[in-house]
Each structure stands twice: as C-alpha cells, then as structure tokens.
Amino acid sequence: MPKPGPAPRRPAPTAPQIEVRRVAATPAEALERADEVVDQLLDAGRSPGEILVLTVGEAHPWQQHELSFGEERYWAQLAEGGDVFYADAVPTRPARREVVVLVANGGPAARAAEAYAAALGHASVLLVVCGDAGPAAKGAAGAAPGRPVSA
C-alpha cells in the first residue's frame, strides 16, 4: 500500500490589498483637492463614518474647529464614527477607517513619507494621497490632475 505524500501546502493568508490613488497637487492645493476627494467619495455613496482625512502640514480647518470644543469631544467623534474625521497624519490615538485621504500640505519630505506609511495602516480599503508623499507613494499609483476619484 503506498504511503501518503506530504500534506499539500496551503498558501499563507495574505493581507487585503489596499487600493492607492494619487491626486496631483502642490502643498498649497492639497487641502482643496482633499476636500474635493471627500465630496466625490460621499457623492459615490461612501458613508461619512468610513472616511478619515489626515494632514501632513497644518491641521485641516474642520479639525481646528472641532478641537475648539475640547480634546475629549474631538476624540469622542472618532469613536462615534458618524462623520468624516480629520486628524494629524500621525494621530495620537488609533484611527482606522475604510478610506483614508492623506493630505501632503506641507512639512518636511521625511514626515510626508512617514505619514504615507502610517496612512496605509489606517486604511482598510482605499488610500487617496493628495500631493507629494514621497517616492513610495509615487510608485503606488498614477496621478492625474482632475481625474475623478470614485470608490
């Protein structure tokens, strides 16, 4: 009677692939382009609670507004998950959403590259990079000015 051979090897489970899209923008334009991307995502049917916007440079005006009500209320919005959440590119608390919009609106190039790597960990489905987040982001997807971002 033949001996059974070794058990077939099962492929190792792979992490889900995150789609990366780039939107060409200068640091001065990146915030405006990010707001357009958020509008497009919402128009395409994304729920506001699925979207996280992370800024590399100066904080998004909406983040500044929400922080004016205090840190506790600001972070409670992240936990509630009912609206688009705006934070620094390296948030001090864990933040994960289906869609992350990374805004390269200033700061050192090294910080933008670090923010890109971190943003990949915050997104579960889609990462949209508005502006230049370094060589890794450039290699991930093509950039096209004015190209609609659908999800």
Side-chain angles (χ1 to χ4, degrees), residues 58-82:
E58 186 176 335
H60 190 283
W62 192 250
Q63 178 187 1
Q64 294 173 13
H65 169 76
E66 293 300 325
L67 279 168
S68 71
F69 298 106
E71 288 269 336
E72 187 175 318
R73 178 69 200 124
Y74 169 72
W75 288 109
Q77 290 180 21
L78 176 63
E80 292 165 4

Side-chain angles (χ1 to χ4, degrees), residues 36-46 51 149:
E36 291 168 0
V37 166
V38 169
D39 288 343
Q40 290 171 0
L41 290 165
L42 295 171
D43 290 346
R46 287 271 176 201
I51 303 170
V149 175

Side-chain angles (χ1 to χ4, degrees), residues 59-116:
H60 190 283
W62 192 250
Q63 178 187 1
Q64 294 173 13
H65 169 76
E66 293 300 325
L67 279 168
S68 71
F69 298 106
E71 288 269 336
E72 187 175 318
R73 178 69 200 124
Y74 169 72
W75 288 109
Q77 290 180 21
L78 176 63
E80 292 165 4
D83 206 352
V84 175
F85 191 77
Y86 297 84
D88 185 75
V90 185
T92 57
R93 298 190 188 187
R96 187 155 174 86
R97 297 272 174 105
E98 285 189 20
V99 178
V100 173
V101 178
L102 179 63
V103 186
N105 61 330
R111 178 164 159 74
E114 176 188 352
Y116 172 76

